[in-house]
């Protein structure tokens, strides 16, 4: 039987454990992120700081018993009840400290609380005598040899390290990350990848589209040292690549997912970074995807998806690609898409509302943006284009190599020029483009219901050479005829390079001969 003295000793020290401890080198998320309450996530992902919540978890009867015992114990020891409950600074913890392996092998009658001490998996677990069926997932539930269930006491994000992920650039973390994702989808929770070395996987992390949406978040992306990086394990080869780092099951439209502050690296042996053929109301924010072979981000049928402040670079295929069905309300904002060997943004499917604003689209070898068929409206504004189209896009029907920053076509067939599915309500304004390797800013083969192309600033290296030569020829008249001559050169170049139409396929009187300036 629990007497007053023992009750005081147990509770005083027990709740002392949940006091936040000072740590060194806390991660960005741990410093700044509060998840739902005033509690903080510590370096292991364990939420600390509210002993009152743990008292509440014991229940009213347990609290009453403890409070009664503590009142008497506090009087005996000369302490206030508050101090007796919440502990003094010098007091330690008294419940059993165990590893997960020791807790699993437990064969004696269990205590109510255990403190797990495995690095990265630290936390307090409570015995639940009423549960006889929940499976052991390492992170939230541990099952002993006798079938006792011990459940982690926490609030907030699901730390992948709780589930056994090492993030040490050596271990295969696939099963641990998958277990964290599965557990989070049962609750619609957050999966947290703390800063570490690399998390390595040997098969795609499967996300069940039919279950609740989750957030997958890290501490930061694209840092040189210790960010939240997921990449293929050494056992994956280029001849047998991963299908994707994260792959949705696509059994139905997945809703309300978020990927943020993650660095996804395909190491040129992964087809896709993130792949979903059916997704809606989802956000891709502050993620870096590189080293994929087909497309960094591939999404399909759905609506209201946003790509915001991401970096998509150094992929052997496309940057962003629409892969299935009709995509409605798709926004790419403030994103860097550069040095990809394919197309920067490949809009290969029908779409109702595509907006690309404030992006840096640079060095994509085939072209910067390719709108292939039936997009309405289509807005490209306030972007920076440079050196896209150095290789160009090869049409086969008719045979034609097109080198442009932006290509607008109107057919379902990938390499056929046509106007059966024209792009509508097109607005390409206020962009800056350096054309160096491309022939024009826009190669438009099919458009209807409005085509606005204007206020785009265009430059080529030849322009600067011409201006420099003119300046040398007329050094004496720097502020007079030179100014007019420079303006004339810029104006002629703007008219020549801003847009080129393919007259044989243009709609509603927009056409002119293929090489005629408009």
């Amino acid at each position: 039987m629990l007497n007053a003295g023992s009750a005081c000793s147990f509770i005083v020290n027990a709740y002392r454990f949940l006091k936040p401890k000072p740590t060194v080198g806390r991660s960005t998320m741990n410093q700044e992120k509060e998840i739902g309450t005033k509690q903080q996530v510590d370096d292991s992902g364990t939420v600390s700081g509210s002993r009152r919540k743990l008292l509440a978890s014991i229940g009213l009867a347990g609290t009453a018993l403890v409070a009664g015992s503590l009142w008497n114990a506090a009087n005996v020891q000369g302490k206030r009840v508050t101090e007796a409950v919440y502990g003094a600074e010098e007091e330690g913890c008294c419940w059993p400290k165990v590893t997960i392996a020791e807790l699993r092998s437990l064969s004696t009658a269990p205590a109510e609380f255990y403190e797990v001490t495995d690095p990265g998996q630290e936390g307090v677990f409570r015995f639940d005598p009423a549960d006889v069926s929940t499976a052991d997932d390492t992170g939230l539930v541990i099952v002993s040899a006798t079938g006792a269930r011990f459940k982690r006491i926490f609030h907030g994000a699901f730390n992948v390290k709780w589930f056994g992920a090492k993030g040490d650039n050596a271990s295969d973390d696939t099963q641990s990350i998958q277990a964290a994702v599965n557990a989070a989808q049962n609750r619609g929770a957050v999966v947290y990848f703390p800063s570490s070395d690399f998390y390595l996987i040997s098969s795609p992390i499967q996300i069940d589209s039919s279950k609740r949406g989750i957030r997958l978040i890290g501490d930061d992306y694209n840092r040189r040292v210790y960010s939240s990086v997921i990449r293929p394990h050494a056992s994956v080869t280029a001849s047998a690549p991963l299908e994707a780092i994260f792959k949705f099951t696509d059994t139905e439209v997945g809703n309300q997912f978020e990927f943020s502050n993650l660095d996804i690296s395909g190491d040129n042996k992964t087809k896709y970074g993130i792949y979903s053929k059916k997704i809606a109301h989802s956000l891709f924010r502050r993620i870096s995807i590189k080293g994929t072979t087909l497309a960094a981000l591939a999404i399909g049928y759905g609506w209201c998806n946003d790509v915001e402040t991401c970096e998509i670079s150094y992929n052997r295929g496309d940057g962003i690609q629409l892969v299935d069905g009709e995509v409605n309300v798709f926004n790419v904002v403030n994103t860097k898409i550069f040095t990809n060997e394919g197309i920067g943004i490949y809009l290969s499917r029908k779409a109702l509302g595509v907006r690309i604003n404030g992006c840096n689209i640079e060095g994509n070898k085939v072209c910067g943006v390719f709108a292939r068929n039936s997009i309405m409206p289509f807005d490209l504004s306030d972007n920076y284009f440079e050196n896209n189209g150095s290789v160009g896009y090869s049409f086969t029907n008719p045979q034609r190599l097109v080198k442009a920053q932006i290509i607008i076509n109107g057919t379902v067939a990938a390499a056929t020029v046509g106007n059966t599915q024209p792009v509508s309500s097109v607005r390409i304004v206020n962009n800056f483009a350096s054309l160096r390797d491309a022939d024009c800013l826009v190669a438009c083969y099919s458009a209807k219901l409005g085509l606005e192309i204007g206020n785009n600033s265009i430059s080529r290296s030849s322009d600067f050479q011409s201006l420099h030569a003119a300046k040398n020829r007329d050094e004496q008249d720097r502020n007079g005829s030179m100014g007019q001559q420079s303006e004339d050169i810029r104006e002629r170049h703007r008219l020549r390079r801003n847009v080129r139409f393919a007259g044989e396929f243009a709609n509603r009187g927009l056409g002119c001969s293929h090489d005629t300036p408009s």
Side-chain angles (χ1 to χ4, degrees), residues 87-396:
E89 289 296 323
E90 68 276 12
E91 296 176 17
C93 178
C94 66
W95 51 44
K97 294 186 177 182
V98 296
T99 64
I100 289 176
E102 290 170 341
L103 195 55
R104 284 187 175 130
S105 64
L106 189 68
S107 59
T108 59
E112 186 170 7
F113 295 98
Y114 288 89
E115 178 187 347
V116 167
T117 60
D118 300 71
Q121 297 172 287
E122 298 91 343
V124 178
F125 285 76
R126 183 185 179 192
F127 171 51
D128 184 356
D131 188 349
V132 296
S133 61
T134 304
D136 187 326
D137 63 8
T138 302
L140 304 183
V141 180
I142 297 173
V143 181
S144 74
T146 60
R149 266 70 180 173
F150 301 91
K151 298 182 178 180
R152 183 183 290 271
I153 298 173
F154 79 105
H155 182 81
F158 290 22
N159 188 328
V160 295
K161 291 193 172 184
W162 291 350
F163 297 82
K166 302 298 183 184
D168 58 6
N169 197 27
S171 304
D172 186 347
D173 290 329
T174 308
Q175 292 185 358
S176 300
I177 296 173
Q178 188 66 64
V181 169
N182 294 345
Q185 285 207 268
N186 290 331
R187 304 191 190 188
V190 177
V191 178
Y192 169 48
F193 294 79
S195 292
S196 189
D197 210 332
F198 302 122
Y199 295 95
L200 305 183
I201 62 171
S202 56
S203 61
I205 302 303
Q206 296 283 340
I207 300 176
D208 193 335
S209 301
S210 66
K211 290 187 176 180
R212 297 173 68 176
I214 59 174
R215 299 172 61 207
L216 298 102
I217 64 174
D219 283 320
D220 205 349
Y221 78 110
N222 205 33
R223 295 194 301 184
R224 290 182 180 271
V225 181
Y226 290 112
S227 56
S228 301
V229 184
I230 306 100
R231 67 192 309 177
H233 188 265
S235 61
V236 179
T237 64
S239 59
L242 287 182
E243 185 69 20
I245 298 295
F246 294 101
K247 188 175 188 298
F248 286 73
T249 59
D250 296 326
T251 52
E252 58 183 70
V253 178
N255 262 288
Q256 297 182 331
F257 290 88
E258 178 183 338
F259 294 81
S260 64
N261 288 317
L262 294 173
D263 194 328
I264 298 171
S265 180
D267 292 350
N268 297 322
K269 51 185 182 180
T270 305
K271 294 180 181 179
Y272 301 96
I274 302 172
Y275 184 92
S276 175
K277 293 169 67 175
K278 298 178 181 180
I279 191 168
H281 298 289
S282 294
L283 173 64
F284 306 89
R285 182 178 64 90
R286 289 182 57 82
I287 61 174
S288 170
I289 308 178
K290 60 178 70 71
T292 62
T293 60
L294 294 183
L297 174 61
I299 65 172
Y301 173 78
W303 45 91
C304 301
N305 294 305
D306 299 317
V307 179
E308 175 187 314
T309 322
C310 295
E311 183 172 301
I312 297 174
S313 59
Y314 299 101
N315 295 280
R316 289 188 175 178
D318 300 330
I320 298 173
Q321 184 183 117
L322 305 186
V323 292
D324 192 71
E326 185 170 317
V327 180
N328 297 327
V329 191
F330 179 56
N331 302 303
V332 184
V333 180
N334 298 333
T335 289
K336 301 174 185 176
I337 304 169
F338 63 92
T339 322
N340 299 293
E341 294 185 20
I343 301 167
I345 303 175
Y346 188 18
L347 306 172
S348 57
R349 302 287 174 166
K350 291 184 178 181
L352 183 62
V354 173
R355 181 172 64 103
I356 302 171
N357 298 142
C359 295
N360 178 10
I361 303 172
E362 179 178 353
N364 301 288
K365 289 186 177 180
V366 175
C367 72
V369 178
F370 189 175
R372 198 174 83 188
N373 72 85
S374 193
I375 297 171
M376 181 184 73
F378 180 38
D379 183 280
L380 270 166
S381 59
D382 301 303
N383 299 292
Y384 177 86
F385 291 89
E386 181 179 350
N387 196 28
N388 298 288
S390 61
V391 173
Y393 186 86
S394 295
F395 287 100
T396 58

Side-chain angles (χ1 to χ4, degrees), residues 466-498:
S466 298
L467 292 175
H468 183 67
K471 180 178 180 180
N472 290 335
R473 287 194 304 269
D474 197 6
E475 186 69 26
Q476 300 299 320
D477 194 12
R478 183 175 305 168
N479 298 318
S481 61
M482 172 57 203
Q484 183 61 47
Q485 184 181 23
S486 300
E487 184 62 33
D488 289 345
I489 292 173
R490 284 195 294 268
E491 180 63 16
R492 288 198 303 272
H493 183 68
R494 184 188 69 80
L495 292 174
R496 184 174 68 254
R497 298 293 179 183
N498 199 358

